[in-house]
Amino acid sequence: MEQTFLMVKPDGVQRGLIGEIVKRFEQKGFQLVGSKLMLITREQAEYHYAEHKGKDFFEMLVNFITSGPVFAMVWEGDQVIQLSRTMIGKTNALEATPGTIRGDFAVHTRLNLIHGSDSPESAEREINNFFRPEEIMKYEKNVQPWI
Ligand code: RTP
Ligand code: MG
């Protein structure tokens, strides 16, 4: 079963959108297996966004993501990595369509509410950056197999 790392960014926490965002993934049929409200360190942020090191927005990105509490989550389900990226919407605010989280709630590319892992390798790396193994819950959900 696939897992992904999702994180409500400081703007989403400030705007009171944690519940709305969690609701969407629950309703889709994914399973929440880890979550916490936390302040992330500069080291964690730089590691998380290492692929963007050297770009003009890197400093701003690290400053923003460490500026206040984030809501870090691990979600599990079939194809959860790709499907959650679809639910999140495009990075560019002008391309994030209505119906997606960014399309419905965000105006700016840099204040885009939520992060989602973009591949199985990123998901593993990001989960390990933010969670200890004992913080991930394994539990049976009593639902029918069609979700
Ligand atoms: P994220 O990693 O936060 O989930 O977002 P993403 O995959 O959709 O986008 P990515 O390309 O990984 O970029 C990471 C974050 O950097 C900011 N960004 N600003 N041209 C820009 O000003 C620019 N490009 C990216 C966004 O906050 C984006 O979420
Ligand atoms: Mg990314």
Side-chain angles (χ1 to χ4, degrees):
M1 187 66 81
E2 203 171 83
Q3 289 185 341
T4 196
F5 174 71
L6 303 182
M7 172 170 62
V8 181
K9 298 182 183 184
D11 55 334
V13 175
Q14 289 291 327
R15 289 176 56 191
L17 289 171
I18 294 174
E20 170 65 36
I21 288 170
V22 168
K23 186 188 79 173
R24 290 181 175 221
F25 294 100
E26 281 188 320
Q27 287 182 339
K28 182 77 171 172
F30 293 132
Q31 185 179 13
L32 184 63
V33 294
S35 70
K36 56 185 169 180
L37 193 64
M38 63 187 290
L39 277 170
I40 71 178
T41 65
R42 214 167 170 84
E43 291 68 41
Q44 269 174 321
E46 287 182 359
Y47 180 79
H48 179 71
Y49 281 128
E51 63 173 311
H52 300 300
K53 199 157 190 168
K55 295 184 186 165
D56 62 344
F57 59 84
F58 181 75
E59 268 309 301
M60 209 181 283
L61 193 55
V62 170
N63 288 341
F64 166 58
I65 209 73
T66 56
S67 67
V70 299
F71 191 65
M73 301 168 278
V74 181
W75 286 86
E76 195 170 279
D78 285 338
Q79 308 193 80
V80 67
I81 297 173
Q82 270 195 61
L83 284 173
S84 57
R85 293 278 294 185
T86 302
M87 291 166 69
I88 287 168
K90 291 276 174 59
T91 313
N92 184 335
L94 296 176
E95 293 172 5
T97 48
T100 66
I101 293 168
R102 289 172 176 168
D104 286 348
F105 301 110
V107 170
H108 302 290
T109 298
R110 290 176 189 186
L111 299 175
N112 58 14
L113 299 171
I114 177 166
H115 162 81
S117 307
D118 59 14
S119 67
E121 297 71 34
S122 312
E124 190 183 355
R125 183 170 178 279
E126 292 168 5
I127 290 168
N128 290 331
N129 188 28
F130 291 96
F131 286 87
R132 297 192 303 275
E134 64 269 25
E135 292 176 312
I136 313 288
M137 303 294 128
K138 281 279 171 199
Y139 61 99
E140 289 297 318
K141 246 173 97 185
N142 189 19
V143 292
Q144 298 300 317
W146 53 75
I147 52 169

